[in-house]
Amino acid sequence: MRLKDKVAIVTGSSMGIGEAIAKRFAKEGATVAINYFKSPDAADAVVAAIEAEGGKAKAYKADVSKVAEIERFAKEVIDDFGGVDILVNNAGVFRTVSVLETTEEIWDEQLDLNLRGYFFFVKTLVPHWRQTGGGKVINISSIAGTGAFPNCPAYCAAKGGVVNVTRALAAELGKENINVNSIAPGNVATPLNAHVRGPGNEEYVKLMETFTPTGIAFLKPEDMTGTAVFLASQDSNLIHGETIIVDGGWSVW
Ligand code: NAD
């Protein structure tokens, strides 16, 4: 077990990549705070699945695009478990809209959750980690942040921002034994992108298959969990500000 006796917060962990990371962390011995916004039943199901395997987890409702809710959520977890060792900033929203369709509301929604919330969650935990002696942050970026796609400018801006705020946080916090790193997933089959995988998207799926060396158009959420465990474990203690791309090779060309 690589995360024995650690406490981890995984934002947006009632489904998708967050769910897979939370379940894997629990298997590695961590107590996991499962976060949901709108799906209490899904969050309870994740907690039940972890407990059924002998792990420890608790569900917390919080809109992690709002600083006040982040602060309340972090305090609840610290009160419940005595501290937090690992933060996975994972909650995200992805809208496929063209430049001209991007309203202020759509821009703000994506930047507030996918970037602003990530920064403020780290900021919230820094005073705690100054007392405990350190912590681990894993920000979930995207290949839409290390590269770019059409029809999602706000998402690309947010995820590109995650890559560089990861570096900026690492530059400032590295000396305090706080590791801030990022994972940039490629296409992963989750509820987030069901609308670009379904009927009518055959051409896109074929394109992704053709241009991915492994021939995999959509990875599985579980494919992200090994890298997350590595970045949460002592094995990554001297890695700071990195973004590890996990995309089945899509980015090599
Ligand atoms: P998903 O839609 O399956 O899960 C997103 C989670 O975020 C859900 O649990 C949802 O409830 C939660 N969430 C949404 N708004 C929230 C809010 N305001 N407060 C708290 N939680 C909220 O998506 P996913 O594919 O698992 O995405 C997880 C992360 O991975 C996101 O940051 C996403 O941008 C990133 N990502 C996904 C892919 C992909 O192909 N699926 C690729 C690259 C990056």
Side-chain angles (χ1 to χ4, degrees), residues 12 14 17 62-64 90 113 118 141 155 159 186 188 190-193:
S14 62
I17 294 170
D63 175 353
V64 294
N90 164 81
L113 179 61
Y118 283 27
S141 175
Y155 186 76
K159 292 302 186 179
V188 182
T190 70
L192 179 107
N193 54 20

Side-chain angles (χ1 to χ4, degrees), residues 65-134:
S65 68
K66 305 264 189 321
V67 178
E69 295 214 18
I70 289 170
E71 290 172 350
R72 175 188 50 77
F73 175 26
K75 184 177 181 312
E76 281 174 10
V77 177
I78 291 167
D79 287 350
D80 284 345
F81 300 115
V84 177
D85 305 289
I86 302 158
L87 167 68
V88 183
N89 272 320
N90 164 81
V93 63
F94 168 55
R95 306 268 178 243
T96 43
V97 280
S98 69
V99 169
L100 292 187
E101 288 164 339
T102 301
T103 59
E104 279 185 83
E105 193 185 11
I106 290 174
W107 179 274
D108 289 346
E109 177 201 29
Q110 293 187 78
L111 270 290
D112 283 356
L113 179 61
N114 295 338
L115 179 60
R116 189 173 174 273
Y118 283 27
F119 170 78
F120 281 100
F121 217 135
V122 178
K123 180 184 169 186
T124 297
L125 288 175
V126 167
H128 174 64
W129 284 335
R130 284 195 171 143
Q131 287 176 352
T132 62

